[in-house]
Structure formats: structure tokens, C-alpha cells
Amino acid sequence: MTGDRSGAPAPPPGGTGNGPAVSRQEFDALFDRVRTWGRWTPADRGAWNRVTPEHVRRATALVRSGTAVPLGRAWNTTPGPDNSRPALHYMSDLGDLEPPEPATHKDFIAVDYHGKAVSHLDALSHAAYRGQLYDGRAARECIDAGGARFGAVSALGPLVTKGVLLDLPAVLGCDWLEPGRAVHAEDLVSAERALGVTIGEGDAVLLRSGSVRRRREVGVWDPGTASAGCHVDAVPLLAERGIALLGGDGDSDVRPSPVDGVHSPVHALALVAMGVPLLDNLDLEALSVAAAETGRYAFLLVVAPLDIPGGTGSPVDPVAVL
Amino acid sequence: MTGDRSGAPAPPPGGTGNGPAVSRQEFDALFDRVRTWGRWTPADRGAWNRVTPEHVRRATALVRSGTAVPLGRAWNTTPGPDNSRPALHYMSDLGDLEPPEPATHKDFIAVDYHGKAVSHLDALSHAAYRGQLYDGRAARECIDAGGARFGAVSALGPLVTKGVLLDLPAVLGCDWLEPGRAVHAEDLVSAERALGVTIGEGDAVLLRSGSVRRRREVGVWDPGTASAGCHVDAVPLLAERGIALLGGDGDSDVRPSPVDGVHSPVHALALVAMGVPLLDNLDLEALSVAAAETGRYAFLLVVAPLDIPGGTGSPVDPVAVL
Amino acid sequence: MTGDRSGAPAPPPGGTGNGPAVSRQEFDALFDRVRTWGRWTPADRGAWNRVTPEHVRRATALVRSGTAVPLGRAWNTTPGPDNSRPALHYMSDLGDLEPPEPATHKDFIAVDYHGKAVSHLDALSHAAYRGQLYDGRAARECIDAGGARFGAVSALGPLVTKGVLLDLPAVLGCDWLEPGRAVHAEDLVSAERALGVTIGEGDAVLLRSGSVRRRREVGVWDPGTASAGCHVDAVPLLAERGIALLGGDGDSDVRPSPVDGVHSPVHALALVAMGVPLLDNLDLEALSVAAAETGRYAFLLVVAPLDIPGGTGSPVDPVAVL
Amino acid sequence: MTGDRSGAPAPPPGGTGNGPAVSRQEFDALFDRVRTWGRWTPADRGAWNRVTPEHVRRATALVRSGTAVPLGRAWNTTPGPDNSRPALHYMSDLGDLEPPEPATHKDFIAVDYHGKAVSHLDALSHAAYRGQLYDGRAARECIDAGGARFGAVSALGPLVTKGVLLDLPAVLGCDWLEPGRAVHAEDLVSAERALGVTIGEGDAVLLRSGSVRRRREVGVWDPGTASAGCHVDAVPLLAERGIALLGGDGDSDVRPSPVDGVHSPVHALALVAMGVPLLDNLDLEALSVAAAETGRYAFLLVVAPLDIPGGTGSPVDPVAVL
């Protein structure tokens, strides 16, 4: 990413490398380093325990313009390379089933929301590493066909905290990060400096790669094959800062994974080691515009998952209030 | 409802009457009186257009303790008298479908959310009166099997505003309103006075009848047959105040309906005449406790519906921040 | 069941006893006695391997009147004591989505079909006893969130064979068997004699208890608590005869179970020990009438499950041709 | 299709033309010509009323080898050009929800079965032409969000009749008909002659184009854009013969449609004018092999739709018995 004294053309700011490669041993050391097991009660609220009422008050005090920006993508019922399990939407009453007056119109929705198409929250039960969920719980004992008995989304409740938008294309002066471009700790630090924000304890970090804009302008691709996202070397910084939530317009992991034998290493570190829920597949385009206009990259963020007992997450449409 | 000089015991404060009866002609006059058609652009955001950035700022400034209280009920997959179309929740991956590491757990959810069991937002397309949606649009031209082209939930976006809890059992000194008990304008005014709040323009009014507590303590019943809620005579007051949202732990309508030939008159008035979305089937028990403890019945409210194009509403789990 | 010389009133012919009680040790001995593991290739077609082309030919030769009788119940979207997971049926196109001509009407169906409400076929993967599926396969290795790799309904294909209706109320001279009434080997033998049929190798045995008639006339109850069905002492006879399929208007098990610690002992014996698929929750009322009219209790039976890879069964609407 | 005296190479036998073009006026005349409205009671069993018990007896008498061949495709949960609304299949119990013994494994299935991916039966309510269903019923009065009150699949019941396989690639000496190739009356007559069968009253005609083989060997395509199927000029022959059912490995219509302004003209003629249900998207490969081996292209066919009240059809897995 740095300049080049040799005179050779600089790589494009949106970059493409997903490296450096990380061995399984290095990854496991990293996992142990950022682990927060045993720290909180209730354990399955994980890092959301960091968000104290004092933190909520300070987050609401960030509001200046009073603009509320939704961060969720539209419900997508059309299959595609990034939507292998399309959501369903059927009308269950067109005003012709129940007697009027009034006539009522109703609908049925269904979704297998994990994946790359639906804006959703990953609860701590979504991932296990070496057979263990967050806090060292045995996945096999906690999860069955009825759902998760530990780490369910119902254990999280709503999150009201300070959100920080790290708008990387804005910082790097490009339209979007190319799929496969890793985001490193130094990118996060540069972004903080350039955007005038500081990631602090209990904050929600939202990473914009510009993937939604790229999809609209270039066309759809399979983000499971290539997507911009965090390299694991960015995670210790996030751990030190004590974040409560990590999210973005991808699923936080750079793909292909740079870690040998671990397809979603940031998921493993955030959800399993650190107890940090993830917010996947947001649409941060409107927020990017609003933040640029106001010059404010820190704001009040509200995430309100559905209260699904046993659920491993929830579709959500988070709200940023600037 | 009135006192009794004869010495006979006074009726319980939670009452039971759903009257007075209202003729269809009287109802239609009321409909015309509170109608706001033609007032806003976009029309299908209806009364949410009242919530300006200034209003958002003032709402966030209400936060004192920093306590965030979820207002949604748990996802309910069990049929019952109040749940004739139970929600679905299936695990789609138990860590055995995609290769580890990490193992991932996933689920599928489905719901026909209108009814009496799911906390949900009614968008303006949910109801039509005399063939018309809000703003006078012909329901037949706006709604088909693909959903609503006018008044969809996707036209609403998120709501961030001042919420006002009218905790009627707290005011009346009872555990809950009996099913079938109508709430009148004078009840709302008494509640404002007793709780130290004022319903203003752009506010979200949440009516607590105590039905969730009653369900827990007495057992389940069919709220389609009998439920506490607003009599239509309470609506002009809400219209004058210029509310943005009406919600509660029922569906806002007293049942049986006091209006001849109109099964859900408050739905017709709020959604169709006034453009006021409704928030049905909340769980306001925790909010009631928190409000009583702090003595604050006005707070920051955030409602974040899923962005379902064509949807007539959305399951939601609104958040009150005190 | 037999008469009484003492002059005391005879018990009603529909009886009610689910006994005699059977110990777990006796049950395990019975399991070993009727076990057919290792006998067939492919193993997961189980007893359907008994139905040879010769058998098919003889079954089609049974047809006399040419009357085709459906044996399935109607799709039931209404919750009830016997329908805790109601089926779904939504219109996905009302002629308003795709451009005419012609206009097309479409629908979406969904069902969690095991249980007491849906006529369905149990494939061999539906049940495991002591951790093992039919043929001794370890359930844990064969079944995961993606479905069954052994014993799936797709391994069965269609069944065309001789069906035998054992119409017990017709034999006993009652309207129906009372819920909880066990059917014993001697009941089967009496029925064969009275109805002029013989259960032979490769046959499908359909037991009518009259439960559908009882439901219609008396009202609905929870068949999980009490239902007429086979006592395990009827199973050795069925094993000796070499049946291919066992079905009925219940789920073949008498409930409450007479076997200590085994809630569905006939399921365990048929599916796991004998490799005999089960046909649950049929409606045999029309077949009962047609059989009585013609005096023919043996007929051509066709069961055509959906070809669901990994499925543990399928909703079906079997056809009897008399 | 005909020879060429000029010496130019003959067109491939699988052909490609969808013509000749047909005007809307010609189509409407054809519609009136083949119309059977008012002929049957119950009307919405349509041409299935032609299948008398005598016909059933003769069909069962066709069985020679006793081979039962399933004609349905596998449940397809993967999106693709021919599968825009993939079916769902989730395990609802992995032996971990209900207490053993036995352990039980259960699943949930869902499907919007009309389209190009699911083997299914079209009931008469599936299509309307000029606002009318079969028998002249007004579609608008018969069909609403609750389903079809006329022409539902539940009105059909099972079909047991003589099936006739018109294996066109076998007749033409090619592997498959190219997508877009129209099948004409003379193709049907040639096929009858070549295969030694005669289409008679009450028969089910199954047209094999070889599309399933082509999909396997060449790859998937969108059959909505191009598929082999009947030209409307083949329909009068089928009408004269008095068939009960028309089906195939496509959806019976050649696409693109040769009829101006009518996208599915064979659907309109069969379902709406003639009352002939359709059987779409079969897999006739195994039947083709079995028929070639035995030289028998007429057989016993059983179609057993699910009994869905109000349903416009049903997924099915029909069975041919040779």
C-alpha cells in the first residue's frame, strides 16, 4: 500500500492482495491472544456487555443533524451469484380473505438469512472453532435442530451505541475496494486519522468497501469467491480498542481467506474468540454520502434484531442517526 | 363506568365496556374529519413525514439513563388462540453442511406476521377502506400478488422519534385492562396528566393495556374476540396532536368493534385516513417497569422495519432508550 | 376381547386397552427376532425389495371394478390438537404477476409433514433405535442438516403392490376403535378371515381404526396422547408374512405405548428392524365404503412419494384401485 | 422437416422451427373449435371425467413386465436458469428434539412448484384466457388469495389411465429435440405409427423431447426462452382423440410461442378450452429406455396429486407401470 521509490507505477488504491498468508499455528496464537472467554455475564451477550448506559448516553449525544439513515439492503427474492437461497415474499391476503371493512392486505416472508444477500446480525452461536462456541462452550451440546441454547440472538437484545464508519474508498480515493483486497490494521488507523474518528470501547465499527456500489456499476459476482474484508492482522487492533460490534458491506472477512485451513478467520476471531457479533451485507452507500456531507463519521447506531429464541442471528435493518 | 351512589361496589378500574356504539354514518364523518390525504410527499410515508431532523434531535436529547429496552415479543412457533399462523424456525446448517473451520450454524425463519402474535409494523398498504388506500389510491390498482406498489413498508424506512408510553393500568391502578375495555380520549388525557407527558407532533404513542401480563398470569385468549384498545372517539385527539405512529401491546383497536360494519375502525382511521402506521402486539412490560422506576414516560424510540419491497409491514423489535 | 360367560356386560367391541405391558428387554428380543438387516440391496429400499415385477403384475390383476380411491387427507393449514405444525398454502400469482394471455395462477406450499395431520410416507431414515438406522447404519453418520444419506425417500421410489385393507370397525361391528385400543395379532387374523383376504409377501397392509370418522363425528383430539394402533405383539405376524408396507388412518402405533421407555415401538420395529416403510394418517373412509360395497378388501395400491433427495419421507396421496 | 430435392443437406431431425406463426384471430377460432365447456359434471374434473372405470380396467390390463417407472424429477433446491424459485428442504428434527426411543428425524419442505423445475400437475384453475377459466367461469370470481374455488387440484383426485409415450427423439433418430422445435399433428401421427400405439379417449399423452438428457449432456438453459413442445396445430388432433391428460418433459408449449400475443397457447387450449390438465417437467428418460427395451409405448399411468383445497396444481411423481 505504501509508496514506491523505484519509480514503478503504484498499485491502484483499491488494491487486490488478500495476503500475507497466515499459518494455522499463527492463527491459533492470534485466537488465544484476542480471546475474552470468562469475562462477562451473561456470557452470550459477549462484547455487547461493553456497552454501558453511559456509553448509550454518549452515543445519543453524538446526534447533530438528526438524519436517520437505514443500513439494510432490500429483501431479495431473485437468485443470483450472491443469492443462492433467495428470500420469499408472498401475499397471504389481498383484501379478499377477511371480510371488510377495512379490507386488509397481508404477507408472508421467509428467509435463510446467513449468506451474502441479506443484511443480518450474526449472534455468537453462528460459528464454532475447534468444536467450541464463544466462552469455550461445546457447540455439540449447545446447538441442535431446535436452535442454539447458548449464544442465541435472543441473548443479545438491541444494541444502541456509537457507530464508526470507516469509509475506505473515501480514504483511498477510489470507488471501491476490489474483491479480494485485504484491509489491514494500518488501513484502519489511516482511516481513523483521515476521517477524524477514533474507535473506542463499546463502539460498532462499520467497514465500507464500496461493494454495493461496485455491484450496481460493474455487476454481480460471488462474494464467497472474492470479497474485500479484514485480514486477521487487523483484528488485534480491534480487540485492543474493545469494540462491541464489527460490520460492513461485506461479511468482514477478506476472501479468499489468507489463513491456511480457515475459510472465515475473522468470523472465528470475532464471534468465537472475542464475543463480538458481526453485521453482514449492509448497504453503506447512503451513509457514506451523508457522512461525507456532514464530515461526521461517528454517529448513533441502533441495531434491533428480532427476538428469535434459539436463533443464530437475525435479518436487521440497522439505523445510523447522524 | 361511572360511580354509583347506591353503595354498590364500583366497577373495576380496568373496566370492560367497548361502547358507545357508533353508526357507520358517524364513522364515515369521523373518517373525513381526520383525513390528511394530499398533504405529504412522498405520500406513502404518511405521518412519518412529520418527523423532521429537528424532531429526531429533540428525541435523542430525551435520553437520560441510557437504558435500552426492547419492545418486541419472542418469535412464537407454537399455535394457540392468539397464534393461528405460527412462525417457523428451522436450522439450515448445524455445523455439518459447510466445511469447517469455523463450523457455521444457520437458520431459516418464516412468518405471516399480521395477526395477534408477532410484534410488527403495519405499513399504509395494510388496510383499505371503501376500496381506497391512504391518499385515496385505489387498492385494486396498487396491490397484487407481487405486493404493494403504494404504501409498502419500504417507503417508510426507519422511524426515530419521541415515544410516549401511556401506561393505562399504571394510571388506573389495576393490573391490566380487561379484554374489550375501550380507551377513550379522556383516558389518554388523564394518562398524560398522571404520567407527566404530552403527546406532540411527530410522536409515537404506545398504549399499554397490560395484555402481555394478563396472558402470562391468566392464560391465553383470542384477542380477535376481545381486546382492550382505542375507541374511535379517541382518534380525533390523536389526529389533532399530529402523531406519527400509534402502537401498543394489542393492535390499537378495541374488540369487539363498537362501529357498525367496521371490524377494525382504528386501523381504518389511522392507516387509511390519517396515514399513521401502527405497531401491533408489542411487549411493553419491561418498558412499564423502567418507566415507573425513572418516572419518565417519554423517551427515544427507534423502529427499524426490514426493507421489504412491496411488503405491507414488517416484523420488528422496536427499541426504547430512556 | 372375547365374550364373557359370567353374564357381565361384554366390553365394547372397539375396546380401549393398550396392553399388555412390555418390558424393554422383551422389546429388544422382539426387535432382534424380526430384524432383516443385511438381507437386501439396495438396503435402504428395505422391504420394498420384496415387491418383484411378478408381484406388481398380480396386484394389477386384482382390479375388478376400476374404481380409483384416493387415501390422502386434505392439506390442513389450521392448527389444532392434531396439527401443531399446520401446512402453508399461499397464492404466488393471482393472474396479476405474469403478463397474460393466458393469465396464470400459482401457489406456494410448505409442510413439516411428520406428525399427525398429513398423510405421508415414512422412509427408513425417519427413525433410529439405539443410535442405529435400518441395516445397522449409525444414524449420526448418515443424517445431518442436509438430510439423510441412507434411507432417504428418494431411495424408495414408487410402490405398486397389492394392498390389503384390514377394516377393524367393520369386523368388530363398531363405528371406530377407541383411541388407545391396541390391535393384536389375533385381531389381524380375525380380520383376514372375516374380510376374506390373506396378507402375503410384498403386500401393503392398511389398518383402518375409523379415527377419521371419529374425528368428524366426535371432534378432534391429540392422537399423540391416545390413538388406536398396533400392539408390538402384532408385529411378528406381519414379519412372518413378509409385508412391504404398513399403514393406516393413525400412525400404526397404539398410544400410549405399552413398551417401557419406547414411545413408538412399532415405528422402531417396522422402520429400523424390518425395513418396512410406514404410511401415516391416511383417510380410509371412502375405501372402507368401496370395499364393503364390492366385498373386496385386496386391491391394487400405488404410493408415489416425491423424489426428495435426503428426505426422511414425503407427503403422499396413495391410490387404491379396486 | 421435409426432404429436399435440391441436394442441400437436410435439416437435423430434431429441427428448430417454432412456426408457422398463428394470428390471434386464428387462435381464437381454434380455441372455440376445441372447447368442451358445459359437457361434464363436476365441471372442474374436466377431461378426467372421460376416464371411466372401464377405462381404468383396460389400463391395468396393459401391464406386462410389472416394471414401475417413476416419472418425476428430483426436488431441486439449487437456483439456476430453469429454477428461479428453488424448492426448500430443511431438517426439522435430527433426532435431538423429541426424546428417544426411537430417535426421529423429520423435515420441512416448501415449493412454488409452477415453473420449469418441478414435476407437477396443472389443475384447471392454473390458467385463464380472456378472464375465463374452464367452463366459462370468471377467474376473478373463482380465485383469490385463499386459492381457487373452481378448478382446484382437490377437484381432480387421482388419475389412473392408459399412458402413451410419444418418444419423439426415438422416432426421429436424434438425441433430443432442439429447444424451440415445434411438435405438429403429423409428428404425433408419425410417432403413433412408428411406436405402435394409438391415442384414444381418456388417454394420457406424454411427449418426450429429450430435454432432460440435453440438460445433462449439454447443460442447463432457460426453457422459458426456448423449449420444444406442441405447436397449437397439434391440438385439434388431441381434442379429437379425447385425451384426458397432456404431459411431457417440458411444459407442453413450444417456446417462443408461435401465437401472436399468447405466451402459452397450449396451456390456454388444454386447460381453459378443453379441460385437460397438464403434467409439466417430467423426467421421461428411464421410461424411454424401458419402453424401447419392451417395445411397449402404452402402459398403466397413475398420477396422484396432493389433495390441496384451493390449490392450482400439485407437485407429483407419476408412475408408469409397464
Side-chain angles (χ1 to χ4, degrees):
Chain A
M1 288 302 110
T2 57
D4 185 347
R5 296 172 189 175
S6 68
T16 58
N18 73 330
V22 174
S23 73
R24 186 67 177 269
Q25 201 175 4
E26 288 167 318
F27 177 77
D28 285 353
L30 183 54
F31 187 95
D32 290 343
R33 183 178 153 196
V34 299
R35 202 168 58 188
T36 61
W37 296 1
R39 184 173 307 182
W40 289 299
T41 303
D44 49 4
R45 267 199 105 224
W48 286 22
N49 285 295
R50 283 189 172 117
V51 182
T52 62
E54 165 64 17
H55 202 91
V56 173
R57 285 196 300 270
R58 274 187 281 142
T60 55
L62 289 170
V63 172
R64 289 293 174 279
S65 69
T67 312
V69 182
L71 309 182
R73 297 192 195 175
W75 202 249
N76 187 348
T77 60
T78 306
D82 59 352
N83 197 12
S84 60
R85 298 184 299 268
L88 308 180
H89 179 226
Y90 294 117
M91 295 300 289
S92 56
D93 187 352
L94 281 154
D96 45 14
L97 283 199
E98 287 198 37
E101 292 279 5
T104 55
H105 312 110
K106 299 177 191 150
D107 34 12
F108 166 83
I109 58 170
V111 69
D112 193 345
Y113 56 87
H114 289 294
K116 313 295 182 191
V118 181
S119 299
H120 69 270
L121 181 71
D122 289 343
L124 299 189
S125 57
H126 174 50
Y129 185 64
R130 295 179 302 200
Q132 290 178 304
L133 299 176
Y134 180 67
D135 216 45
R137 306 297 172 101
R140 202 162 228 181
E141 287 164 25
C142 295
I143 296 178
D144 61 24
R149 276 181 297 273
F150 177 85
V153 69
S154 47
L156 288 176
L159 180 72
V160 179
T161 192
K162 177 183 141 204
V164 174
L165 175 67
L166 298 185
D167 191 336
L168 295 169
V171 171
L172 295 167
C174 56
D175 290 339
W176 50 72
L177 302 192
E178 282 303 320
R181 184 351 179 134
V183 173
H184 302 279
E186 53 265 33
D187 294 309
L188 304 183
V189 172
S190 303
E192 282 185 297
R193 211 172 300 134
L195 303 172
V197 285
T198 308
I199 301 166
E201 190 169 13
D203 287 358
V205 174
L206 304 182
L207 227 75
R208 180 174 172 260
S209 71
S211 65
V212 171
R213 179 173 172 190
R214 187 179 190 277
R215 188 184 192 278
R216 195 168 51 228
E217 297 191 9
V218 177
V220 68
W221 74 98
D222 175 7
T225 304
S227 53
C230 287
H231 191 280
V232 292
D233 64 19
V235 174
L237 175 77
L238 298 169
E240 282 157 26
R241 300 296 184 87
I243 64 169
L245 177 73
L246 178 62
D249 52 10
D251 75 352
S252 291
D253 258 299
V254 66
R255 302 186 187 280
S257 167
V259 181
D260 184 41
V262 182
H263 60 77
S264 302
V266 172
H267 276 67
L269 295 176
L271 295 170
V272 188
M274 299 159 62
V276 170
L278 296 171
L279 207 41
D280 293 352
N281 311 322
L282 300 175
D283 180 340
L284 298 173
E285 297 310 296
L287 181 60
S288 172
V289 170
E293 281 171 7
T294 58
R296 294 183 60 84
Y297 287 83
F299 40 83
L300 170 63
L301 179 76
V302 178
V303 185
L306 300 173
D307 180 11
I308 305 171
T312 68
S314 170
V316 286
D317 200 328
V319 188
V321 190
L322 273 71
Chain B
M1 287 294 113
T2 58
D4 188 343
R5 296 176 188 172
S6 69
T16 58
N18 73 329
V22 174
S23 74
R24 187 67 176 271
Q25 201 175 2
E26 290 167 315
F27 178 76
D28 285 352
L30 183 54
F31 187 94
D32 291 342
R33 179 176 157 200
V34 300
R35 203 169 56 186
T36 61
W37 297 1
R39 183 173 306 182
W40 289 299
T41 304
D44 49 1
R45 268 199 104 223
W48 286 23
N49 286 296
R50 283 190 172 117
V51 182
T52 63
E54 166 64 18
H55 202 91
V56 173
R57 284 196 302 270
R58 274 186 282 142
T60 54
L62 289 170
V63 172
R64 289 293 174 279
S65 69
T67 312
V69 182
L71 308 183
R73 296 193 196 174
W75 203 248
N76 186 349
T77 60
T78 305
D82 58 353
N83 196 14
S84 60
R85 300 183 299 269
L88 308 181
H89 179 227
Y90 293 118
M91 295 300 289
S92 56
D93 187 352
L94 281 156
D96 43 16
L97 282 199
E98 288 199 37
E101 293 281 1
T104 55
H105 313 109
K106 299 176 190 149
D107 35 12
F108 166 83
I109 58 169
V111 70
D112 193 344
Y113 56 87
H114 289 293
K116 312 296 182 193
V118 181
S119 299
H120 69 270
L121 181 71
D122 288 344
L124 300 189
S125 58
H126 174 50
Y129 185 64
R130 296 179 300 199
Q132 291 178 302
L133 299 176
Y134 179 66
D135 215 45
R137 308 295 173 101
R140 205 164 224 182
E141 287 164 26
C142 295
I143 295 179
D144 61 22
R149 276 181 298 274
F150 176 85
V153 69
S154 47
L156 288 177
L159 182 72
V160 179
T161 194
K162 177 183 140 202
V164 174
L165 174 67
L166 297 186
D167 191 336
L168 295 169
V171 172
L172 295 167
C174 55
D175 290 338
W176 51 73
L177 302 193
E178 281 304 318
R181 177 11 170 127
V183 174
H184 303 279
E186 55 264 33
D187 293 310
L188 303 182
V189 173
S190 303
E192 281 185 297
R193 209 172 303 134
L195 303 171
V197 284
T198 310
I199 300 167
E201 189 169 15
D203 287 357
V205 174
L206 304 182
L207 226 74
R208 179 174 173 261
S209 72
S211 65
V212 171
R213 179 173 172 191
R214 187 179 190 276
R215 188 184 192 278
R216 195 168 51 230
E217 297 191 9
V218 175
V220 68
W221 74 100
D222 175 6
T225 304
S227 52
C230 288
H231 191 278
V232 293
D233 63 19
V235 174
L237 175 77
L238 298 169
E240 282 156 29
R241 301 294 184 88
I243 63 169
L245 176 74
L246 178 62
D249 52 9
D251 75 354
S252 292
D253 258 301
V254 67
R255 301 185 188 283
S257 167
V259 181
D260 183 41
V262 182
H263 59 77
S264 302
V266 173
H267 277 66
L269 295 176
L271 295 171
V272 187
M274 299 161 62
V276 170
L278 296 172
L279 207 41
D280 294 351
N281 311 324
L282 299 174
D283 180 341
L284 298 172
E285 297 309 296
L287 181 60
S288 172
V289 170
E293 281 171 6
T294 59
R296 293 182 61 82
Y297 286 84
F299 40 82
L300 170 64
L301 178 76
V302 179
V303 184
L306 299 173
D307 180 10
I308 305 171
T312 68
S314 169
V316 287
D317 199 330
V319 188
V321 189
L322 275 72
Chain C
M1 289 303 110
T2 58
D4 186 344
R5 296 173 187 175
S6 69
T16 58
N18 73 331
V22 175
S23 73
R24 185 68 176 267
Q25 200 175 4
E26 289 168 317
F27 177 76
D28 285 351
L30 183 53
F31 188 95
D32 291 343
R33 181 177 156 199
V34 299
R35 201 167 59 186
T36 62
W37 297 2
R39 183 173 306 183
W40 290 300
T41 303
D44 47 3
R45 268 199 104 225
W48 286 22
N49 285 294
R50 282 189 173 116
V51 182
T52 63
E54 166 62 18
H55 202 92
V56 173
R57 284 196 300 271
R58 273 186 281 140
T60 55
L62 289 170
V63 172
R64 287 294 173 279
S65 69
T67 311
V69 182
L71 309 182
R73 297 191 196 175
W75 202 250
N76 187 349
T77 60
T78 304
D82 59 351
N83 196 14
S84 60
R85 297 182 302 267
L88 308 181
H89 179 228
Y90 293 118
M91 295 300 289
S92 56
D93 187 353
L94 281 155
D96 44 15
L97 282 199
E98 288 199 35
E101 293 277 7
T104 54
H105 313 110
K106 300 175 191 152
D107 37 10
F108 166 83
I109 56 169
V111 69
D112 192 345
Y113 55 88
H114 289 293
K116 313 297 181 191
V118 182
S119 299
H120 69 270
L121 181 71
D122 288 344
L124 300 189
S125 58
H126 174 51
Y129 185 64
R130 293 179 303 200
Q132 290 178 305
L133 298 176
Y134 180 66
D135 215 45
R137 307 297 172 102
R140 204 164 224 181
E141 288 165 22
C142 295
I143 295 178
D144 61 24
R149 276 181 299 273
F150 177 85
V153 70
S154 47
L156 288 176
L159 181 72
V160 179
T161 193
K162 176 183 141 204
V164 174
L165 175 67
L166 298 186
D167 191 336
L168 295 168
V171 172
L172 296 166
C174 55
D175 291 337
W176 50 72
L177 303 192
E178 282 303 320
R181 182 357 176 133
V183 174
H184 302 278
E186 54 266 33
D187 293 309
L188 303 182
V189 172
S190 305
E192 281 184 298
R193 209 172 302 134
L195 303 172
V197 285
T198 310
I199 301 166
E201 189 169 15
D203 287 357
V205 175
L206 303 182
L207 226 74
R208 178 173 174 263
S209 71
S211 65
V212 170
R213 179 173 172 191
R214 187 179 190 277
R215 187 183 192 280
R216 195 168 50 229
E217 298 191 9
V218 176
V220 67
W221 73 99
D222 175 7
T225 304
S227 52
C230 288
H231 191 277
V232 292
D233 64 19
V235 174
L237 175 76
L238 298 169
E240 281 157 28
R241 299 296 183 88
I243 64 169
L245 178 73
L246 178 61
D249 52 9
D251 74 354
S252 292
D253 258 299
V254 66
R255 302 184 188 282
S257 166
V259 181
D260 183 41
V262 182
H263 60 77
S264 301
V266 173
H267 276 66
L269 294 176
L271 295 170
V272 187
M274 298 161 64
V276 170
L278 296 172
L279 207 41
D280 294 351
N281 310 324
L282 300 175
D283 179 341
L284 299 172
E285 297 309 297
L287 181 59
S288 171
V289 171
E293 280 170 8
T294 59
R296 295 183 59 83
Y297 288 84
F299 41 83
L300 170 63
L301 178 77
V302 179
V303 185
L306 300 173
D307 180 11
I308 304 170
T312 67
S314 171
V316 288
D317 199 329
V319 188
V321 190
L322 274 72
Chain D
M1 285 301 107
T2 58
D4 185 346
R5 296 171 188 174
S6 69
T16 58
N18 73 330
V22 175
S23 73
R24 186 68 177 269
Q25 202 176 4
E26 290 168 316
F27 177 77
D28 285 352
L30 183 54
F31 187 95
D32 290 343
R33 180 176 157 200
V34 299
R35 204 168 55 185
T36 61
W37 297 1
R39 184 173 307 182
W40 290 299
T41 304
D44 49 1
R45 266 199 104 223
W48 287 23
N49 285 296
R50 284 190 171 114
V51 182
T52 62
E54 166 63 18
H55 202 91
V56 173
R57 285 196 301 270
R58 275 186 282 141
T60 55
L62 289 170
V63 172
R64 289 293 175 280
S65 69
T67 311
V69 182
L71 308 182
R73 297 192 195 175
W75 202 248
N76 186 349
T77 59
T78 305
D82 59 352
N83 196 14
S84 60
R85 298 183 301 265
L88 308 181
H89 179 225
Y90 293 116
M91 296 298 290
S92 56
D93 186 352
L94 282 155
D96 45 15
L97 283 200
E98 288 198 37
E101 292 282 5
T104 54
H105 313 110
K106 299 177 191 149
D107 35 12
F108 167 82
I109 58 170
V111 71
D112 192 345
Y113 56 88
H114 288 294
K116 313 296 180 190
V118 181
S119 299
H120 69 271
L121 181 71
D122 288 343
L124 299 189
S125 58
H126 173 50
Y129 186 63
R130 296 179 301 197
Q132 290 178 303
L133 298 177
Y134 179 68
D135 216 45
R137 307 297 172 102
R140 204 164 225 181
E141 287 165 24
C142 295
I143 296 180
D144 61 22
R149 276 181 298 272
F150 176 85
V153 69
S154 47
L156 289 176
L159 182 72
V160 179
T161 192
K162 176 184 143 203
V164 174
L165 175 67
L166 297 187
D167 191 336
L168 295 169
V171 171
L172 295 167
C174 56
D175 290 339
W176 51 72
L177 302 192
E178 281 303 320
R181 180 4 173 131
V183 174
H184 302 279
E186 54 264 33
D187 294 311
L188 303 182
V189 173
S190 303
E192 280 185 297
R193 209 172 304 134
L195 302 172
V197 284
T198 309
I199 301 167
E201 189 170 13
D203 288 356
V205 175
L206 304 182
L207 227 74
R208 179 174 173 262
S209 71
S211 65
V212 170
R213 180 172 172 192
R214 188 180 189 276
R215 187 183 192 280
R216 195 167 52 228
E217 298 190 10
V218 176
V220 69
W221 74 99
D222 174 8
T225 304
S227 53
C230 287
H231 191 278
V232 291
D233 64 19
V235 173
L237 176 76
L238 298 169
E240 283 156 28
R241 301 295 183 86
I243 64 170
L245 176 73
L246 178 61
D249 51 10
D251 74 353
S252 291
D253 258 299
V254 65
R255 300 185 190 283
S257 166
V259 181
D260 184 41
V262 183
H263 60 77
S264 301
V266 173
H267 276 66
L269 294 176
L271 295 171
V272 186
M274 299 161 61
V276 170
L278 296 172
L279 208 40
D280 294 351
N281 311 323
L282 300 175
D283 180 341
L284 298 173
E285 298 309 296
L287 181 60
S288 172
V289 170
E293 280 171 7
T294 59
R296 294 183 60 82
Y297 287 84
F299 41 82
L300 170 63
L301 178 76
V302 179
V303 184
L306 300 173
D307 179 10
I308 305 171
T312 68
S314 170
V316 286
D317 199 330
V319 187
V321 189
L322 276 71

